[in-house]
Amino acid sequence: ADEAEPKEAASYSNFEIVSPRQEEVLWNTGGQLNVSLRARPRIRSGHSIFLVMDGQEVQQLARGRMQGSLSDVVRGTHQLHAEVRDQSGSTVARSDTVQFTVQQTSIQNPNNPNRPGGGG
């Protein structure tokens, strides 16, 4: 009897990127981007987390780690998502895609204290 339910595919009830947040604007990062993830239940021993930015796999997190740090993240808008893969390389969970923007303040006007409008 094929009673083996495909529980493997739905092994994570929650897998998401905590940081950066959706539509976040990051200033003067120096190319560094710290990524924090959350998973429920916790990542299984045989599974690995991969970070994918702008369609390119950019990092595999060390076992048991829920944070990564990317370097050389250029200014502009980026898409980031994370995937959990099993030993065979199949994706078993995928986070939502977060879109964030890296900005750099211009040299002439580093923090612009009196920007007109003030948000409102």
Side-chain angles (χ1 to χ4, degrees), residues 31-35 51 58-59 61 65 67-71 73:
Q32 289 289 122
L33 175 70
N34 292 319
V35 180
L51 301 179
V58 287
Q59 191 174 78
L61 299 191
R65 293 295 302 263
Q67 285 91 28
S69 180
L70 305 178
S71 51
V73 180

Side-chain angles (χ1 to χ4, degrees), residues 35-49:
V35 180
S36 298
L37 304 165
R38 184 159 50 206
R40 226 176 265 121
R42 47 185 306 151
I43 302 296
R44 298 184 183 184
S45 57
H47 291 179
S48 303
I49 298 175

Side-chain angles (χ1 to χ4, degrees), residues 12-77:
Y12 298 102
S13 59
N14 182 29
F15 179 57
E16 62 182 341
I17 294 174
V18 182
S19 171
R21 298 186 309 278
Q22 182 67 272
E23 303 295 343
E24 186 169 5
V25 177
L26 304 165
W27 288 91
N28 296 330
T29 59
Q32 289 289 122
L33 175 70
N34 292 319
V35 180
S36 298
L37 304 165
R38 184 159 50 206
R40 226 176 265 121
R42 47 185 306 151
I43 302 296
R44 298 184 183 184
S45 57
H47 291 179
S48 303
I49 298 175
F50 293 84
L51 301 179
V52 181
M53 187 173 73
D54 301 334
Q56 296 288 106
E57 185 183 298
V58 287
Q59 191 174 78
Q60 176 180 355
L61 299 191
R63 187 180 300 288
R65 293 295 302 263
M66 296 299 287
Q67 285 91 28
S69 180
L70 305 178
S71 51
D72 303 324
V73 180
V74 299
R75 54 187 281 196
T77 301

